[in-house]
């Protein structure tokens, strides 16, 4: 399974960005897909996650109402629409995937087996 993120960049507070993650190499089975972020010196934080073919969606409290996770199955792409960005959203953002036996703990990084290389988001 390979994941390639794009869409990061620098934006002023209050602005928007849309991250994309192309997921390839996974069989057409139920997968958990998530977005995580990490700031140097801090633990990786689950931001938003979902399950392929519909189902559960979960968001960190810090992004509820501002971020939206979605997927385009035809393009094998996971998105993270980020609105009303704040300086504290500055981080490296990663997408992650794993075979999904259950939809519990979607925002826990230990649940995921495959990770992208990350894309930097900077909000000033």
């Amino acid at each position: 399974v390979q994941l390639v993120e794009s869409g990061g960049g620098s934006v002023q507070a209050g602005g928007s960005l849309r991250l994309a993650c192309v997921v390839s190499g996974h069989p057409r089975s139920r997968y958990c897909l998530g977005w995580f972020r990490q700031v140097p010196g801090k633990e990786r934080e689950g931001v938003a996650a979902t399950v392929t073919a519909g189902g559960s969606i979960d968001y960190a409290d810090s992004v509820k109402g501002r971020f939206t996770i979605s997927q385009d199955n035809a393009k094998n792409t996971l998105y993270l629409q980020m609105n009303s960005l704040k300086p504290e959203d500055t981080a490296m953002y990663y997408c992650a995937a794993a075979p999904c036996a259950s939809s519990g703990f979607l925002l826990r990084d230990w649940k995921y087996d495959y990770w992208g290389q990350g894309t930097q988001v900077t909000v000033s």
Side-chain angles (χ1 to χ4, degrees):
V1 177
Q2 293 184 325
L3 302 98
V4 180
E5 302 100 332
S6 62
S10 297
V11 65
Q12 291 189 336
S16 298
L17 284 173
R18 188 177 78 157
L19 306 184
C21 174
V22 177
V23 184
S24 61
H26 69 90
R28 293 196 176 275
S29 57
R30 191 166 180 260
Y31 257 65
C32 294
L33 300 171
W35 287 100
F36 292 78
R37 64 187 181 187
Q38 189 168 26
V39 175
K42 293 189 176 182
E43 291 187 356
R44 188 160 48 193
E45 175 190 19
V47 175
T50 186
V51 179
T52 57
S56 300
I57 292 179
D58 202 5
Y59 294 96
D61 288 342
S62 58
V63 306
K64 282 181 180 176
R66 301 189 297 123
F67 290 12
T68 303
I69 190 171
S70 63
Q71 50 186 314
D72 185 332
N73 293 327
K75 297 181 179 180
N76 291 326
T77 302
L78 180 72
Y79 298 101
L80 184 68
Q81 178 67 44
M82 305 186 295
N83 298 327
S84 302
L85 283 161
K86 305 176 180 180
E88 52 263 43
D89 294 319
T90 295
M92 185 72 80
Y93 283 71
Y94 300 90
C95 67
C100 201
S102 76
S103 57
F105 304 105
L106 282 175
L107 297 180
R108 301 293 183 90
D109 60 358
W110 48 256
K111 189 175 180 73
Y112 294 85
D113 300 317
Y114 307 101
W115 294 84
Q117 82 288 351
T119 185
Q120 178 68 36
V121 171
T122 302
V123 185
S124 59

